[in-house]
Amino acid sequence: MKKSRFRFGKGDRELSLLALPSVLYIFVFSYLTMFGAIIAFKNYRYDKGILGSDWAGFDNFKFFFISEKAFIVTRNTVLYSLWFWVVTTLGALIVAILLNEISRKWSKYYQTTMFLPTFVSWVVVMFLAQMFLSHDYGFLNRLYETIGLDRIRWYLEANYWPLILTLAHLWKSIGFSALVYYAGIVAIDPSYYEAAKMDGASRFQMARKITIPMLSPLIIILMIMAIGNMIRGDFGLHFFVSNNSPLLYNTTDIIDTFVYRALSVSGDIPMATAVGLYQSVVGLLLVVGANYTVRKISEENSLW
């Protein structure tokens, strides 16, 4: 008699109970709310409700696609997402490898220190950025003035902001990403490194020939997930850190901030729902496409 591949034991019950709060959260806020996506195809009115409102077809999608800013914000969203993933992945891999080279006592201290910015709100980061970038009292402008340089109006000059946003994103996210890769490094069989040492391999060679190849499945999985969020930028980073300065829109604006401003001015809920649905559908297609490509290259590294 053929045994089932899926068996539910006592240990599985305990793990299921631990996962239950997260499963309920996702079910309530991600699946039950999918019914609201119907608003994207209706002229929604509060007095008629969702089902009673008149159908509008694809009219709610026109606002975004016919806007002169549509190309700019889409370009910014995609390019920033790609750039942030590349920079964060490279930085996190380097930090994780360095953490593996120090003692466990000090590595725990550095892990805690790097992980703290993950919990800092973007509103707090906005005030920290103003402490450095303010024209009147900012640390950088006072430093420039001390060494004889002119002050810079950071919130009025767009060419500095790709770098500023990259540094802010790295500061807040590299700690968590590094810990994920560090956990992957710890799980690697030490016998690989011992054999490499006996063959005279240097630390750099071991990192290049053992650590990174062994982490490649994890890197690929995180890459697929990042591709799914490529069309959905980090609202807090782009809205708060740039202080929502109008002169920076062409450089810092993404789809999420553009729709937020349009919604706050017009209060057009169907339009905002339409753009959110567009982002979700495109994200799903990107994940499926990326996973299909990875599966064609290496089936064992794909998600499904």
Side-chain angles (χ1 to χ4, degrees):
M1 184 176 179
K2 187 176 181 180
K3 294 183 178 180
S4 173
R5 293 177 58 189
F6 303 100
R7 294 195 302 178
F8 199 80
K10 183 178 179 181
D12 296 322
R13 288 197 297 269
E14 295 174 353
L15 293 175
S16 298
L17 287 174
L18 287 174
L20 184 60
S22 299
V23 172
L24 289 176
Y25 176 85
I26 294 174
F27 177 73
V28 172
F29 292 101
S30 297
Y31 284 92
L32 290 183
T33 55
M34 288 178 68
F35 172 75
I38 196 176
I39 297 176
F41 304 97
K42 290 202 168 193
N43 288 321
Y44 177 67
R45 287 178 50 178
Y46 291 99
D47 56 338
K48 291 185 176 181
I50 296 178
L51 296 178
S53 299
D54 299 329
W55 288 97
F58 290 94
D59 290 344
N60 292 319
F61 293 84
K62 293 179 181 178
F63 169 84
F64 177 71
F65 290 105
I66 67 176
S67 170
E68 61 181 9
K69 292 286 188 179
F71 171 75
I72 295 175
V73 297
T74 303
R75 176 203 65 189
N76 289 348
T77 304
V78 172
L79 292 182
Y80 273 123
S81 297
L82 283 173
W83 174 243
F84 288 162
W85 180 81
V86 171
V87 173
T88 303
T89 300
L90 290 176
L93 281 172
I94 293 172
V95 171
I97 292 172
L98 292 176
L99 281 175
N100 194 48
E101 296 297 327
I102 61 179
S103 65
R104 290 287 183 266
K105 177 183 177 181
W106 284 105
S107 68
K108 291 181 180 179
Y109 167 77
Y110 288 120
Q111 289 174 46
T112 305
T113 304
M114 291 188 302
F115 197 65
L116 286 177
T118 305
F119 300 101
V120 177
S121 167
W122 279 120
V123 178
V124 176
V125 178
M126 174 186 71
F127 288 110
L128 292 175
Q130 288 179 352
M131 290 174 59
F132 281 89
L133 305 177
S134 172
H135 182 263
D136 297 322
Y137 58 83
F139 172 77
L140 290 179
N141 277 331
R142 293 203 172 187
L143 178 62
Y144 287 164
E145 197 174 46
T146 302
I147 60 179
L149 298 177
D150 294 332
R151 294 190 177 201
I152 298 176
R153 296 183 177 272
W154 299 99
Y155 292 100
L156 302 180
E157 300 185 28
N159 55 308
Y160 298 106
W161 281 90
L163 176 60
I164 294 172
L165 293 177
T166 301
L167 293 176
H169 177 80
L170 272 177
W171 178 78
K172 200 168 187 302
S173 63
I174 194 172
F176 177 80
S177 298
L179 290 183
V180 172
Y181 290 122
Y182 179 69
I185 293 175
V186 171
I188 297 175
D189 190 345
S191 62
Y192 291 111
Y193 296 104
E194 294 172 0
K197 286 180 182 179
M198 292 180 64
D199 291 336
S202 64
R203 293 183 181 274
F204 176 76
Q205 289 173 326
M206 286 189 288
R208 187 165 60 91
K209 297 292 186 179
I210 299 175
T211 305
I212 294 178
M214 295 293 288
L215 288 178
S216 59
L218 178 59
I219 296 172
I220 291 172
I221 290 173
L222 295 178
M223 179 193 70
I224 294 174
M225 296 173 64
I227 289 175
N229 288 319
M230 186 187 303
I231 201 70
R232 193 181 302 274
D234 192 330
F235 174 83
L237 170 64
H238 291 268
F239 185 83
F240 290 112
V241 177
S242 66
N243 207 22
N244 196 30
S245 175
L247 294 178
L248 305 178
Y249 284 165
N250 284 344
T251 302
T252 63
D253 216 12
I254 57 174
I255 295 176
D256 302 77
T257 55
F258 173 76
V259 173
Y260 171 80
R261 284 197 307 273
L263 182 61
S264 62
V265 173
S266 65
D268 194 339
I269 295 177
M271 177 274 297
T273 307
V275 177
L277 181 60
Y278 158 73
Q279 289 178 296
S280 299
V281 171
V282 173
L284 173 63
L285 294 176
L286 288 173
V287 167
V288 173
N291 186 77
Y292 176 79
T293 303
V294 171
R295 189 170 184 176
K296 287 293 183 182
I297 298 173
S298 176
E299 186 173 354
E300 63 180 10
N301 290 330
S302 62
L303 283 175
W304 66 86

